[in-house]
Structures are given as C-alpha cells and as structure tokens.
Amino acid sequence: MPDLFVPDTLEDAIRFLGDHAGSALPIAGGTDVMIDTRIGRVRTDWLVDLSGLGALAGIDFDGERVRIGALTRIRTVELDAELARRATALVEAARVLGSVQVRNMATIGGNLCHATPSAEMPPVLLVHDGVAEVAGPAGERELPLAELFAGPGRTTLEPGELLTAVRLRAPSSGGGSCYLRQTVRWSMDLAGVGVAASVEVEGATVTRARVALGAVAPVPLLVGAAADAVTETELPPEAAAEAGGRAAAACSPITDARGTAEYRREVVSVLVPRALRIAWLRATGAWPAGVPARINGVLSEDVP
Amino acid sequence: MIELGVNGDVHRREATPDLTLLSLLRDVLGLTGTKRGCLTGDCGACTVLVDGEPVLSCLQLAHQVRGREVTTIEGLGNGFGLDEVQAAFVAKGAAQCGFCTPGMIISVEALLRSNPSPTEDEVREALSGNLCRCTGYNKIVDAALDAAATRLSVS
Amino acid sequence: MTGQTVYAEDLHLPGLLVGRILRSPLAHARIRSIDVSDAERLPGVRAVIHAGNVQQRPFGYNHDSIPLKPDKARFIGDEVAAVAAVDEETAQRALELIRVDYEELPAVFDPLEALGEGSPVIHEELENVDGNVSMRWDFEDGDVDAAAARAAVVVEGSYSTPQAAPAPIETHVVIASFGADGQLTVWSPVHMVFMYRKELADCLGLDWRRITIIQPPIGGSFGGKIDIDPHDFITVMLARAAGRPVRLVMSREEEFIGTRTRQPMRIRLRTGADAEGNLLFRDAEVVSDNGAYNGWGSHAMLVVMNTITSLYRVPSSRVRAAVVYTNKNYGGSVRGFGNPQATFAVEQQMEELADALGMDPMDLRLRNANQSGDVTPQGLQITSCGLDECIQLVREQSGWDERRGRMRDRNRGLGAAAYLHVGGGARIYGSDGCGAMVKVDDSGQVTLITGASELGQGSETTLAMIVAEEMQLPLESVRVVNSNTDVKPWDVGVHASRTTFVAGNAARMAAARAREQLLESASEVLGAPVDELTIEDGTIGVDGDPERRLDYARLVRRLLLREGGSIVMASAFYDPPTEMQKEHRGNISAAYGFGVHVAEVEVDPGTGMVRLLNLWTAHDVGRAINPMSCEGQIEGGAAMGIGLALSEELAIFDGEIAAPNLHDYGLPTAVDVPRIVVNLVETIDPLGPFGAKGVGEGGIIPPPAAIANAVADATGIRPRAYPMRPWRVKEWIDTDERSHVLRADEGRDDA
C-alpha cells in the first residue's frame, strides 16, 4: 500500500516527484489512480496528493483565450456558462464524463495525464488549439497539447514534471464546437469512438477548422486533413463527408469487446460530419440556444 | 492523524495513508449506512456529501477530506424523523432491497440543493451514477420529483 | 432510508476473521500439488485449507462439483484453496504465498466445439455423462414434420444470447461461526435455505440438526444467491479450521468471475402457420452452455421448453436440447431462468410470421392466444389467463395500429413480446410447499412466521397484507418473522415467482385458523354462538351490540390469564396441487402468469446505437394485493430485461472474462431506462391467495424480444443476438440481415 506525501506548494510537489522518480505518482481527484493502485495495474511507493494546491485550479478568460488550471474539477468545467458559450465541446465532453460524483472529484489534469486513449478531455482541448503548461525540476515549459501524449497510459512528461494548466483558443463570437461519441449505454460509459470538431466562420464560410479523435488510436489524434476538407467552404454535405473519410483513414482503432476496428473506422466517418455540422450551426448562430446535442449527434426535430 | 466533521460531529482518528473515506466511515466510525458495491466508482452505493457535494467515498482518500464536513445517510433527517427525500422514498415505494438507497438519497439531496425543481430528465442525469438493480428507477425518480415539490410547497 | 438496515457486511461479530479464496487462473488444468506452508506461517493467518486437508464430499446436481478442487480446475475462477486471516491485507498476502502446481490442459469454450469429437472432456470422472453433455432435454408432441409440410409459411432462424450476470448491488457475503457447543450458525443471503442447510450437512459431514441459518437483509439476489456454492462450504470449512468466525466478502470482480451467471444459449427455431395465421408447430434445437458445473443452471431448459411448447396454442412441437459443459464460469437460476432467451427466439418469429402472412402481429397473437381452460402439450393447465387483455392494453396505449410499420423514415419502430411463466409455484423438487405460523399475543400483535425469505422484493409486506386482510386488522399490527431456520417452518425457497402464491396461501390458511381460534374463544367469552359473531378492525363481537365486542388483545388475555389457559397460535402448510413433470409432461404450477410488452426504439443507422424511447407493459397478476410492490417488481425486472437487450454482456476471451467490472458489463443507469408504463391486469386466479399469482420474473422476460422486434420495425433487419450492442446492429444493417421465410406455395427461401 503506497504512502502519502502532501506537498504544501507546487515546488514541494515537483521536488518530491523528481527525487522519487519512478516510485511516486501524483493523485488529484483519485478516480483513476485509486482504481489502478487497488487492482495492481500500477504499483507505486508514494502517492503525492495535489488536491490542496488550490492555485492550480481555476478558469480564467483573457481575450480570445482561456486558461484552465490542471486541478480544475470536471464539474466546474461542466457548469461554467462562459465556457458553454465559447467552447461548447468542452462542456459537452465534461457532461458525459462519468457521473456527477466522478465529476466532482476528477480533474482536467488527471483526465489528460492518465492518457487513456478514450478520454473525453483530450480531443475537445485539441480542437481548441490546446497548449499544455508544464512545471518541473528544470523549470517551466509549454508544448502543444498533442505532444503531451506518448501512448496508451503514457505522457511525455519528464520525471518530476507536472501539468499545471491548459490554454485554449476560445473566441467569444464566430466560433462553434461539438463533442460526440459512440457508446453502448447512454450514460456512464467510456467512448468506443470520440469525436471533437471546432470551426470559426465569417458569415457562413468556415475560416478555420479542427477535427480530433479519441479512442481510435494509441493517442488522441488531431486530423489536419479532415479540417482542410471543410475550410473555406460553407460546409456542404460533400465536404463534411470528405472530412469524415479522411478522419477514418487517419485513425488506427483496435478490435475489442466494444467493437471491431472496421466498425470504429466507419463510426468515425459518420460522427465527424455530424460534429462539424453542429459546430458550424453553433458558429453561425443557427443552433437553438440552450439545446444540448445528443451524444451521437443525431439531430432531433427542433434543429434545422 | 486526521480531523474531519461527519454529520455535524468532529472526529479525530489515526488513519493510514491509503485509508479511504468509505473505510473511515464504515470500519473506523461504525457508520455502516454507506455501502461498498464495487470499489471502482461505478455503482454509487458509497456516495456521501463532502462540503455539500456528492462524491464517491470508495475512491476518496480520507486524508484528502481533512477539515471538511462529510454528510452521510445517518446525518439526514433528525433522530427518528425522516426528511422530505427519505419520506418520499417511503411513500413512493422507491426502495426494494434498500442497498442502493443511502447513496441514492444522498444524490437526490445534492440535486435538490442545487436544482430545487428539476425535470424528470435532469433527475435521471443526476442519478446516472447511482445504479439500482431492483426498482428500474421509476419510483426513485417519482420520489425525487415528489420531494422537490414538497420542499417547494413548504418554503 | 436511514441507513440503519444491517446487511451481512455491516454485521459485527467478535473475533471475526477475513476469508478469501484462491482461484484457478487457468481454464482447465490438473492440480498436481499445493504447497501452503509459507501461507500458514504468515503472522495473522489462522487457517489455510485445500482439498488435501479438509473433509468434503461432492455436491450439486449429479454431484459434479466439490468445494475445493482436488483433481483439476475447470474454469478460470474455480476454487482451489482458501485462507482465514485477521485482516484483508494479510489474507491477500497469504493467497499470494500459496503455491499451486498446475498442469495446463487443453480447454474448450465454445459449446458446439464441446459437442464435437476430439473436444477436451471436462467431467471425465462422471460415468453417467456422455462426453460434455451434462443433460439432454428432448420432447415431442404431435407430428412436427407433417405440420411443417402443411404449413403455408415457415420462419426459421438461429439466435444467440450471451453470458450475463445478476449483478446485485450487494455482492455475496457469507459468515460462518461455530459456537463452543458445536452449533454452526451461518449468515447467508441464500433463499433456498432449508436445502442449503441439508447440503452443508451432507457435504461437510456435519450434524444436520446443529446448523442454524440466518438470513440477514439482502441487497438483491435475482437468483444469484439462491443456491449453495463452493464459497458457502468454504466459509464454513475456514471457520471450522480456524476455530473462529469467518466472513467471506466477494469483491465485485469476484462476483463476476466466481458466482452464478445466466447461461448463454444458442437456439435454432422454426415456427409454422397456415394461411389464416393459426400456428401449426414449433421445432427447436437448443444448446445451453452452462459452463464447468451444473449448479441449478442445467434446469433452465425446463423453462425454455415450456415457452417453446406452450406460449400461445401450438398444436405440435419438438424440442431437442443439450446442456453442455465448457471451461467457463457456470450458470445458475438467474431471474427468468431461461425464459428471456427462449422468448427472444419465439416472439421474434411470431412477428416475422405475421409479416410474412401480411397480418398484424397483435392479431396473430390474439388469434393464437392461450385461454382459460387450455391444457398445453406439456400438460400445463391454464386457469386464470389475461393474455388477451394484456395484448389489447399495450396495443392501444402504444398507438400500435397507427404507428407500427410507419416510422421507418424516422428510424423508429415498435415491437411487442408476450410471455408465459409459472405463477403458482414450480414443482421441481419433491415438495413445492411453504409453512406458516400465525400467533396473536397478549398485546394484540399478530406475528406471521413464514418459511418464505425476503430478498428485498417486498414479500414480507405482501404476506403481512394477506394476514391483515384475513384477520381484519390494520397492516401495522402484523409483523413478519422469517430469517432464522430455528424458528421458521419449511419452505422450498424463493424462486419461480412462487412466494406470493405459495407462501401467501400458507399465510392465509394459518391466519384463517388463528381467526377460528379467536372466534371460538370469543364465543365462549361472550356467550354467543360463532355464527352470530362478526370481525371488524381487529375486534370480534356480536353485531349491533357494542357492549359485547372485544379486541384481539383482550380476547387473548382472557384465554391466557386463567387457570389452564391457552395461547392463540395456528400453523399451516400449503403445497400447491401440482405434479413433477414425467418425461416433460405434467402440470408443474398451480397458475401461470402472462404479460405483454411493447417497446419503442429509435435506431441510429450510422452508429448502430439503439435508444429505447418507451416501454408499455401489461401483466396478468391474478390480483394485485400490493400494487406498488407488483409495479416495483415489474419495473425492476423490465430494467434488467432492457439491460439484457441492449448492453449487458460478460465478454469472454479464451475463457477469461475480459472486464469483470460494472461499467464494461453494461448495467443500465437511470438514463438508459425510460419511464416504464405498467398495467396490472387482474384475472382473480381460483387458487391464488385472494386470487394473486406470482410476478417476480415477469418483467425481465419480454424486453429482449420486444426491443428486437422494434429494431426490426425501425430498420427491416432481424437481430440474431442480444445484447444489441451498436456494432452488432450496424453489422446487421450493413449485411442486410433479414428474416428467413419459407413459403409452401413458392417452395423457396425468401429473404
């Protein structure tokens, strides 16, 4: 059973993790780490409790950017009205992450650093041009979020390093985003396929687009080619379908109890166009205010 | 040694580093109303309030709730009286085997504190982390809506 | 509601040790040797047991099992050794110190392979077993081949169902304690408690009379806690070896790996009808993959057979079935006991037939519906029967006639399914009876001591209501005692939805006898003949004369507080007038329950995700003594049926359960289950207590079939398996999986 170290400051945490590299693991909300250690998926001598480092939590808007502290609870993200307006996909992903109880405990940093391929936060942060802020024994650095992930369950963080925040691009107008997924149950499920899309528009024309995938590759995947297919268009169905096809071609899903690789590829080609369309409707102001998207993006009668 | 509030009382106890809040409540303090169902955060039978917010005590290190106020099922109602949520569960037949009930009631309490008049969909979303195998959820949802209405009419 | 109920894991006993089981990591392996010396030496370990150092005998149907395996392990999870230690951590470390030398053997996981030549044989030690076939169930009535030749339309199909789990929120917990006098007390959630006690005695060589079973409040069972399993014996053996009480608590993972499951089945079925829509025959081949041992699971076929031969009027039928051993966790008698599987096949084919005939499926059902007075080919005597009424109710409430077949453009569909299930006991054992005692004490309180167990299904309340009604008392004056074998009279057990009917009748009989005693003593005390006395509201007296009226308390005290006094206490034993089936014929139950569900779904063809929008249900319950409880049982059962239909599955690879946890298993949440509409239909059964019949399992049976039929209506494709998880639905859509219909006039296969 691991021992517990409770740092008073971020510096203390970094120093301890650096000194005990390989035998110490950070714990924040605990919703992943507690399970891993109990079932023996992970063995560690020390848990470093970050939950008291309040400075690492918080959502700060600064012009077209927003900075979210790594210890911000998923529940806080879910309930933030400004984020719901400017980075809807983020709030949509937060809402389907586990249950209310899980969201009260889990943190954005934990969801990112646990690096589960099916995690909800990475794709939505990627489509908002996420930048990871990291602090470690060698000081502070930042990196594009996509470079944080090394493989299933592995990040590129060096010994002693901690993710301290994520910065996003979240324009206050002219943008829209969406997170969709395929699951077995309609709640409390892990994604079999996760898709995030964001667009910025001038009028009806897409000036900037992003498409990211979760659960269909060893790491969350930003697919530039899919975004290119819809940029400088008004998102006609052919362009959206092309984006879907390119995204399907770019991913490398596995076959397991949740479906075959072939099935997942097909679902990517279905969900990407839907996510783009909803993002575009939101960006152009055509999406009815306050109406959430269905988790698989099927449009109901009250949406154009 | 940790100190925390539980149902309005302050407790100081020795706690090993890996002691979970669930274990502290059940095995150390003898408050067995909160249940163990899975230890993976799936069933919600271990749900308690920490500073008014519902969390899974099976995944919560006791050390992380030092100085906080925990509310368990034993802390609701007043002695032999039932509060509106508990009374609604009785009236609507919302408990069969009763094992999920403490966690369910805590989650309903938390919901009503933040959303005093939820829709049926909002109730179901709020309870999606509390699994019940006996009731099919119908009567639990009825009880939550009933309790909400009772509280609103009283206030 | 206040957290005060004490379940087995909440109980506190001085000196209680933690018990843990060492399970085989291999699916099929000879056990060459076990070395427990290091485990025994670990401080804090009080007992380490294995086949070499305990006294045990084979148990189970056909005695194919034994608690701690001496010869070989037959599935991943098979019990090989166990420890009792002072705490969890020590017990876990002790398990890790036990060294077992296994010789791995080839294993077989697919039941069809297990039936094939050259398959590894799992129970070579059983002489009366043919290869891996544990049991055959064969039945034929009428000339099926002639009927098939005459039929205007024949539908055929193969359907498969997965290994599923009852997964109650409370896992299994057993506590065993030997007193200084040698009396064994076991706290167990088991609900066939008298058989459990006998099995303990037989297997462990104990004096049967020195065993007390106490049933604490149970956090759900659904059949998973009905039987005696190796972990029950093991807990007792640990207590015996350690000389201290032992509690064994299953982790959630162990609950999936090592407790009873719902057996997977493969069903090949043909159903035929004439041009007017009269059913002519059903012909079924069934393979039930019951895993490594029999448990009760080998008998699920009895229920499967009943549905195939007797749901609707079927003039001729044939069932050829085999229960097969494979190297997997084994099946038990989980809620529904084979009926969800059988109904999945039977009720899909009803709608396929209707479509092939150009008839509405509800009309086809009505045309062939069971009626009061029918005797089915297997000899089931249908007395009360509300099938017609149930069909009409859900047909109307769902808007069936206006909407079925008309919503495909919106990817929506309606589908229905009916069921037939025992509702008045099920004679699968020499006795199907239940005993009851009623006493009225000097306070006027009435106590019912019943053999029936409370699983959380509300039987105590229902039985109390029966007694209260019979004795004209407010419900609050009736208490129910049922949790201790030293006290309660015999009952075969809670299963087969029999409690309301059998225990209810016993309670009613005992209450009536107690009431007679009260009437007789009132007659003496009041000086009036019995036929001039009336009972109302807990009092007996002469009508119209308030001076000559006494409440029960005073009546009892008058009897008691005198020389040569007496008490008021009566007993009864009710055994339904039924028969054990011989060669699969016989009226196994005194009443049968019926019901119909209609499901409305929306299918997303892009992902295959199925959303259940609505479920309308109608159940013939005979009489709803406690309507809230009937609804609760139906709603809860339906939610489990929805889980089976759409998400629940123990995915097994190479004999190993890939993810033994609740989120991968797919238990439905409050978001997955819609508001279920419940209609209680009362047909007032002639033999049920106040006309009531059992309904404990009814809810779980129709949803897989109803939802499959709804998916078919929405998309045109035929689900061949459940759960209808998204990738399967998408595959059926992409490969255009359709009904297989044979028409007499065209003589060819019509896709």
Side-chain angles (χ1 to χ4, degrees):
Chain A
M1 290 288 116
D3 211 335
L4 191 68
F5 174 72
V6 185
D8 291 321
T9 64
L10 176 61
E11 291 67 38
D12 289 346
I14 291 169
R15 191 176 319 117
F16 191 96
L17 286 165
D19 291 345
H20 294 84
S23 62
L25 207 61
I27 182 171
T31 52
D32 285 321
V33 172
M34 292 291 280
I35 299 173
D36 288 345
T37 50
R38 183 182 64 85
I39 65 177
R41 192 187 291 148
V42 159
R43 289 186 198 274
T44 184
D45 295 333
W46 288 95
L47 290 175
V48 178
D49 178 12
L50 305 179
S51 63
L53 303 178
L56 292 184
I59 302 174
D60 296 302
F61 292 90
D62 177 16
E64 303 299 73
R65 304 217 166 273
V66 56
R67 183 176 181 279
I68 305 179
L71 288 185
T72 309
R73 308 280 178 182
I74 301 293
R75 183 71 168 160
T76 309
V77 170
E78 179 195 357
L79 296 176
D80 193 288
E82 192 63 12
L83 273 183
R85 256 186 9 88
R86 292 165 59 166
T88 315
L90 194 54
V91 168
E92 270 180 330
R95 198 187 295 126
V96 296
L97 195 158
S99 60
V100 172
Q101 296 96 312
V102 168
R103 301 197 282 280
N104 278 329
M105 302 164 79
T107 61
I108 226 177
N111 192 254
L112 287 170
C113 296
H114 197 246
T116 313
S118 61
E120 296 80 357
M121 291 291 117
V124 298
L125 296 169
L126 285 174
V127 301
H128 289 282
D129 290 354
V131 169
E133 293 179 11
V134 172
E140 294 173 0
R141 64 185 180 98
E142 46 186 72
L143 65 161
L145 189 64
E147 291 173 21
L148 181 66
F149 309 104
R154 291 180 298 120
T155 65
T156 57
L157 294 176
E158 297 291 336
E161 283 194 315
L162 280 174
L163 180 75
T164 54
V166 172
R167 278 200 327 271
L168 307 177
R169 178 190 171 89
S172 45
S173 66
S177 61
C178 178
Y179 175 71
L180 300 178
R181 56 193 212 153
Q182 174 268 317
T183 53
V184 173
R185 293 181 297 169
W186 291 82
S187 182
M188 279 295 278
D189 241 5
L190 298 174
V193 174
V195 164
S198 73
V199 301
E200 289 173 36
V201 297
E202 267 170 32
T205 306
V206 174
T207 54
R208 185 191 176 96
R210 298 282 185 268
V211 172
L213 309 175
V216 289
V219 296
L221 215 56
L222 202 51
V223 186
D228 291 342
V230 299
T231 313
E232 297 306 323
T233 75
E234 292 184 6
L235 205 71
E238 318 81 68
E242 177 64 23
R246 292 183 187 182
C251 67
S252 50
I254 58 170
T255 294
D256 64 14
R258 293 174 171 276
T260 59
E262 197 183 279
Y263 166 74
R264 288 173 148 128
R265 241 185 253 281
E266 264 197 81
V267 171
V268 166
S269 71
V270 167
L271 291 184
V272 163
R274 287 181 188 173
L276 280 167
R277 175 154 183 85
I278 294 172
W280 182 81
L281 287 170
R282 286 174 173 161
T284 56
W287 185 267
V291 170
R294 298 253 209 102
I295 62 172
N296 59 351
V298 166
L299 300 181
S300 55
E301 272 109 35
D302 41 320
V303 163
Chain B
M1 182 69 80
I2 59 173
E3 182 175 304
L4 72 166
V6 180
N7 299 330
D9 297 323
V10 176
H11 294 276
R12 299 184 76 234
R13 290 286 191 280
E14 291 284 353
T16 56
D18 60 330
L19 185 72
T20 62
L21 178 59
L22 178 63
S23 212
L24 174 72
L25 293 170
R26 287 181 55 87
D27 306 325
V28 176
L29 297 179
L31 295 168
T32 56
T34 308
K35 304 302 179 197
R36 266 185 193 107
C38 69
L39 298 183
T40 50
D42 290 311
C43 73
C46 70
T47 305
V48 298
L49 301 179
V50 172
D51 290 341
E53 298 297 336
V55 298
L56 300 166
S57 61
C58 73
L59 298 180
Q60 179 80 70
L61 284 175
H63 278 272
Q64 287 181 317
V65 296
R66 290 185 317 280
R68 314 273 280 284
E69 177 65 29
V70 177
T71 309
T72 72
I73 185 72
E74 291 93 343
L76 299 178
N78 41 23
F80 292 112
L82 303 177
D83 77 3
E84 296 90 349
V85 177
Q86 292 167 308
F89 267 65
V90 173
K92 293 293 181 183
Q96 288 183 31
C97 82
F99 200 77
C100 78
T101 306
M104 256 326 155
I105 287 179
I106 293 279
S107 285
V108 172
E109 297 277 356
L111 169 67
L112 296 184
R113 287 180 200 193
S114 66
N115 183 354
S117 69
T119 63
E120 173 155 349
D121 282 347
E122 285 169 341
V123 171
R124 288 179 182 274
E125 289 276 353
L127 297 183
S128 68
N130 290 83
L131 296 179
C132 175
R133 210 46 172 152
C134 291
T135 67
Y137 304 105
N138 254 15
K139 295 185 186 322
I140 292 174
V141 173
D142 286 345
L145 294 170
D146 191 67
T150 305
R151 273 208 185 141
L152 283 176
S153 71
V154 164
S155 63
Chain C
M1 318 303 163
T2 55
Q4 286 171 349
T5 307
V6 178
Y7 299 85
E9 202 187 343
D10 305 327
L11 277 172
H12 221 67
L13 283 176
L16 195 60
L17 296 173
V18 171
R20 289 288 308 278
I21 295 173
L22 184 71
R23 299 177 179 277
S24 167
L26 299 171
H28 201 196
R30 204 161 297 290
I31 298 169
R32 284 208 286 241
S33 66
I34 302 185
D35 179 356
V36 300
S37 48
D38 285 345
E40 279 173 330
R41 279 197 288 270
L42 188 67
V45 171
R46 297 284 179 259
V48 184
I49 57 173
H50 57 92
N53 66 8
V54 294
Q55 184 192 353
Q56 55 174 5
R57 290 206 277 266
F59 77 99
Y61 187 77
N62 204 28
H63 282 177
D64 69 347
S65 186
I66 193 164
L68 291 167
K69 312 306 180 291
D71 54 343
K72 45 177 203 168
R74 293 177 179 81
F75 72 100
I76 296 175
D78 212 350
E79 299 86 357
V80 170
V83 308
V86 293
D87 58 38
E88 278 282 342
E89 208 172 327
T90 309
Q92 177 61 35
R93 291 228 313 275
L95 287 186
E96 287 161 14
L97 291 173
I98 298 175
R99 276 186 299 281
V100 184
D101 184 13
Y102 292 105
E103 178 196 323
E104 194 161 0
L105 299 169
V108 58
F109 307 117
D110 184 296
L112 298 179
E113 270 177 49
L115 286 172
E117 289 192 22
S119 165
V121 178
I122 295 169
H123 281 280
E124 70 276 18
E125 82 285 358
L126 295 175
E127 282 151 18
N128 60 354
V129 160
D130 168 27
N132 287 316
V133 177
S134 163
M135 281 181 83
R136 278 197 209 281
W137 294 72
D138 295 311
F139 173 83
E140 190 153 358
D141 182 78
D143 188 340
V144 165
D145 296 318
R150 273 181 27 232
V153 174
V154 173
V155 170
E156 63 174 23
S158 292
Y159 308 86
S160 101
T161 71
Q163 189 169 82
I169 307 303
E170 182 204 34
T171 60
H172 278 71
V173 181
V174 184
I175 302 172
S177 175
F178 283 90
D181 57 352
Q183 179 82 15
L184 169 64
T185 305
V186 179
W187 287 259
S188 169
V190 65
H191 42 106
M192 285 184 103
V193 68
F194 288 94
M195 292 166 78
Y196 181 99
R197 199 175 62 145
K198 177 181 191 307
E199 298 262 20
L200 275 179
D202 288 348
C203 173
L204 302 181
L206 299 169
D207 182 352
W208 189 356
R209 298 163 299 182
R210 311 292 312 282
I211 302 174
T212 301
I213 313 294
I214 298 178
Q215 297 161 293
I218 301 174
S221 165
F222 318 111
K225 295 169 181 167
I226 200 174
D227 198 1
I228 194 161
D229 285 317
H231 55 256
D232 297 291
F233 300 107
I234 287 169
T235 308
V236 175
M237 291 195 282
L238 283 172
R240 184 159 62 180
R244 275 170 61 174
V246 174
R247 172 160 60 200
L248 193 92
V249 179
M250 295 285 182
S251 68
R252 179 57 63 181
E253 291 81 16
E254 261 189 303
E255 185 77 12
F256 280 115
I257 290 166
T259 66
R260 303 294 63 81
T261 62
R262 183 186 300 281
Q263 52 285 107
M265 291 192 184
R266 315 251 177 112
I267 302 176
R268 280 205 348 220
L269 182 68
R270 293 188 303 151
T271 313
D274 65 20
E276 284 75 50
N278 298 303
L279 290 175
L280 294 180
F281 78 96
R282 279 200 196 108
D283 184 14
E285 282 167 45
V286 186
V287 171
S288 179
D289 174 3
N290 206 63
Y293 301 95
N294 279 327
W296 266 112
S298 47
H299 285 66
M301 205 58 76
L302 187 151
V303 178
V304 170
M305 203 181 257
N306 280 349
T307 289
I308 291 171
T309 66
S310 304
L311 175 60
Y312 304 114
R313 291 168 154 177
V314 186
S316 61
S317 53
R318 178 166 60 202
V319 179
R320 287 169 290 190
V323 179
V324 180
Y325 284 122
T326 59
N327 290 115
K328 300 202 290 283
N329 186 9
Y330 59 108
S333 66
V334 180
R335 195 178 199 178
F337 204 23
N339 216 345
Q341 297 97 309
T343 306
F344 184 68
V346 165
E347 276 292 58
Q348 282 204 74
Q349 292 205 342
M350 284 299 279
E351 297 213 346
E352 294 181 70
L353 258 185
D355 288 339
L357 287 165
M359 266 179 93
D360 183 286
M362 294 305 205
D363 291 333
L364 181 66
R365 291 184 169 103
L366 286 168
R367 193 179 185 89
N368 293 280
N370 305 89
Q371 303 294 336
S372 247
D374 283 357
V375 179
T376 79
Q378 277 190 275
L380 309 186
Q381 293 169 23
I382 311 297
T383 53
S384 60
C385 176
L387 183 53
D388 282 354
E389 197 179 335
C390 290
I391 293 171
Q392 310 282 29
L393 275 166
V394 292
R395 180 178 197 169
E396 195 184 300
Q397 289 176 6
S398 63
W400 179 273
D401 292 338
E402 300 81 52
R403 303 194 308 141
R404 197 230 176 212
R406 303 212 173 105
M407 304 190 289
R408 199 168 290 183
D409 57 327
R410 293 192 293 148
N411 296 314
R412 290 194 178 184
L414 288 177
Y419 76 87
L420 154 84
H421 201 74
V422 294
R427 188 172 296 275
I428 49 173
Y429 192 64
S431 171
D432 195 17
C434 178
M437 303 189 290
V438 170
K439 73 173 176 111
V440 187
D441 72 15
D442 51 330
S443 72
Q445 179 188 298
V446 175
T447 303
L448 167 69
I449 304 164
T450 174
S453 314
E454 170 66 55
L455 309 178
Q457 84 279 39
S459 61
E460 275 172 19
T461 306
T462 303
L463 294 174
M465 288 170 88
I466 288 173
V467 170
E469 178 67 24
E470 192 64 33
M471 299 185 72
Q472 290 295 293
L473 281 170
L475 185 59
E476 303 76 66
S477 330
V478 182
R479 312 265 330 219
V480 180
V481 167
N482 60 357
S483 58
N484 187 321
T485 53
D486 286 350
V487 174
K488 72 182 202 174
W490 199 88
D491 175 41
V492 71
V494 174
H495 73 113
S497 307
R498 64 189 283 283
T499 301
T500 298
F501 192 96
V502 182
N505 270 331
R508 189 177 188 187
M509 284 162 63
R513 289 177 190 168
R515 196 189 58 210
E516 288 313 303
Q517 289 179 21
L518 287 166
L519 280 169
E520 273 163 31
S521 69
S523 169
E524 188 212 306
V525 162
L526 294 172
V530 169
D531 52 21
E532 276 176 33
L533 297 175
T534 60
I535 306 182
E536 46 187 80
D537 218 15
T539 71
I540 300 183
V542 179
D543 217 4
D545 189 347
E547 299 292 305
R548 295 163 83 196
R549 184 157 282 278
L550 291 170
D551 64 28
Y552 288 171
R554 288 175 58 199
L555 216 42
V556 169
R557 290 204 295 280
R558 293 270 201 126
L559 285 175
L560 183 65
L561 300 172
R562 61 180 179 184
E563 286 171 37
S566 59
I567 57 171
V568 174
M569 187 149 170
S571 70
F573 185 77
Y574 178 75
D575 191 19
T578 53
E579 42 193 357
M580 283 186 87
Q581 294 188 329
K582 289 185 183 44
E583 292 173 9
H584 311 301
R585 286 170 208 270
N587 190 32
I588 196 179
S589 185
Y592 296 89
F594 294 87
V596 185
H597 289 194
V598 169
E600 181 174 1
V601 304
E602 187 180 287
V603 180
D604 172 15
T607 60
M609 288 166 77
V610 176
R611 175 120 213 181
L612 179 65
L613 300 173
N614 289 295
L615 189 73
W616 295 268
T617 74
H619 287 258
D620 166 16
V621 301
R623 158 112 58 181
I625 292 178
N626 184 347
M628 199 159 75
S629 173
C630 290
E631 286 165 7
Q633 286 297 291
I634 291 164
E635 289 159 359
M640 289 181 107
I642 291 166
L644 287 177
L646 293 175
S647 56
E648 291 184 34
E649 180 171 13
L650 283 170
I652 301 176
F653 295 100
D654 287 335
E656 184 166 10
I657 295 173
N661 61 62
L662 286 169
H663 61 262
D664 281 303
Y665 176 63
L667 212 122
T669 69
V671 171
D672 294 291
V673 180
R675 179 156 284 280
I676 298 168
V677 173
V678 177
N679 294 281
L680 299 177
V681 171
E682 291 187 320
T683 52
I684 315 300
D685 186 80
L687 290 178
F690 300 108
K693 298 191 282 193
V695 73
E697 289 163 286
I700 200 176
I701 299 165
I707 291 172
N709 282 331
V711 168
D713 188 40
T715 60
I717 58 95
R718 263 292 144 200
R720 297 290 175 197
Y722 66 71
M724 288 163 262
R725 286 187 167 194
W727 71 266
R728 287 196 184 111
V729 174
K730 185 140 175 70
E731 187 169 340
W732 290 321
I733 291 174
D734 289 347
T735 58
D736 201 29
E737 176 69 41
R738 302 236 160 213
S739 287
H740 306 147
V741 177
L742 297 147
R743 293 175 198 282
D745 54 354
E746 289 158 5
R748 60 171 162 76
D749 200 336
D750 191 2

